[in-house]
Amino acid sequence: MNRVEYRDVVFAEIDGYRPLLLDLTVPADAPAPVPLLIWIHGGAWRVGSPRVGDSWLGVADPVGAALAAGYALATVQYRFSGEAHYPAQRDDVRAAVAALRRLAPEAGLDPARFGAWGESAGGHLAAVLGLDRREAGPDSKVQAVVAWYAPSDLTTLGRAPGSPESLLLGPAAEQEEVRRLAGPLAHVSPAAPPTLLMHGDADKLVPCDQSRRFADALTAAGATAEFVVVPGAGHCFEGADLREPVRLSLDFFDRHL
């Protein structure tokens, strides 16, 4: 498939930190502005790369699948917990969305159809990007969210000092309200964008109940939510065919973007 690629686009230059970059791939010769999916990688907020093809997920090729389905796809960086504490990560993905909206006319993107798609820590950031609108401008808004095996309630996870959640929050990790507000569950409202939550029921790292309770809260609030359990799958959908979660995610975006 013909494509137009934008590589290493600097979307944030924060004093004292490395420049943050994004990559954007757009189907060539699209007949109209195309919807955009923004991929946010996992890695416990500490490690990882947005370059999907170089990761364990490359076998399922979500970039190629998204392009074949008529989407543009962006992959974005964010500061790790060793560089800055939360909410820096939330603010970074907000800045990426805003930069992509500025790029929309040149790249042929439809700014009214942006979806956030993330896995694990990236799923957490995709969900807070969609739901936590405190001090957020309209240019950072997304219209749909897909989160795979994502932490949704940090009050019930990672109490040990060296846990990913505690490292993410830093010195504020002992404050219960900080933990609560760092999770997307705290920001559930009827205004939440349509959200798909997918989780393996054998996940020993992030319990499946994290997504189940999140989906129940969204539904109870009157928001649109779907919850898909991947039977027998561990974290990163270990033990499952990765192509099926990709297909279900794109089907969800098809319905809501």
Side-chain angles (χ1 to χ4, degrees):
M1 172 182 290
N2 293 329
R3 57 183 69 181
V4 178
E5 298 185 345
Y6 301 77
R7 289 289 176 261
D8 296 329
V9 177
V10 177
F11 70 85
E13 293 184 278
I14 306 157
D15 188 37
Y17 298 96
R18 61 189 166 98
L20 296 176
L21 310 177
L22 65 82
D23 292 342
L24 170 65
T25 305
V26 184
D29 305 319
V34 297
L36 171 69
L37 304 182
I38 300 150
W39 175 262
I40 309 174
H41 71 87
W45 305 284
R46 292 185 296 175
V47 296
S49 168
R51 297 284 169 88
V52 175
D54 297 335
S55 75
W56 59 272
L57 192 55
V59 65
D61 191 16
V63 175
L67 292 171
Y71 293 95
L73 192 135
T75 58
V76 304
Q77 294 181 344
Y78 54 87
R79 284 171 287 176
F80 294 140
S81 59
E83 298 174 288
H85 296 131
Y86 193 84
Q89 295 74 20
R90 179 203 65 187
D91 296 343
D92 292 344
V93 294
R94 284 178 176 176
V97 175
L100 287 160
R101 276 210 167 77
R102 293 192 296 272
L103 190 59
E106 173 189 340
L109 308 177
D110 185 344
R113 293 192 292 165
F114 277 21
W117 184 8
E119 56 98 14
S120 195
H124 161 267
L125 293 175
V128 295
L129 178 61
L131 274 74
D132 182 1
R133 303 307 300 161
R134 296 174 299 158
E135 303 172 356
D139 56 351
S140 67
K141 188 174 184 180
V142 294
Q143 284 70 47
V145 170
V146 172
W148 290 356
Y149 43 87
S152 64
D153 180 6
L154 272 57
T155 68
T156 62
L157 293 172
R159 290 289 180 173
S163 70
E165 292 80 9
S166 294
L167 293 173
L168 175 70
L169 300 174
E174 296 181 3
Q175 300 178 32
E176 202 65 16
E177 186 67 355
V178 169
R179 278 188 172 269
R180 188 183 74 83
L181 291 174
L185 184 64
H187 306 287
V188 166
S189 79
T195 300
L196 169 64
L197 303 170
M198 300 187 67
H199 220 119
D201 62 5
D203 193 330
K204 292 181 170 54
L205 192 61
V206 178
C208 186
D209 192 55
Q210 288 278 309
S211 290
R212 180 178 290 107
R213 291 194 298 115
F214 187 17
D216 287 347
L218 285 163
T219 301
T224 298
E226 296 181 22
F227 174 48
V228 174
V229 174
V230 182
H235 202 63
C236 299
F237 294 140
E238 183 180 4
D241 182 348
L242 293 173
R243 292 168 296 184
E244 184 65 4
V246 169
R247 183 187 69 80
L248 292 173
S249 298
L250 292 174
D251 285 349
F252 182 83
F253 284 127
D254 286 347
R255 294 195 301 274
H256 295 288
L257 288 181

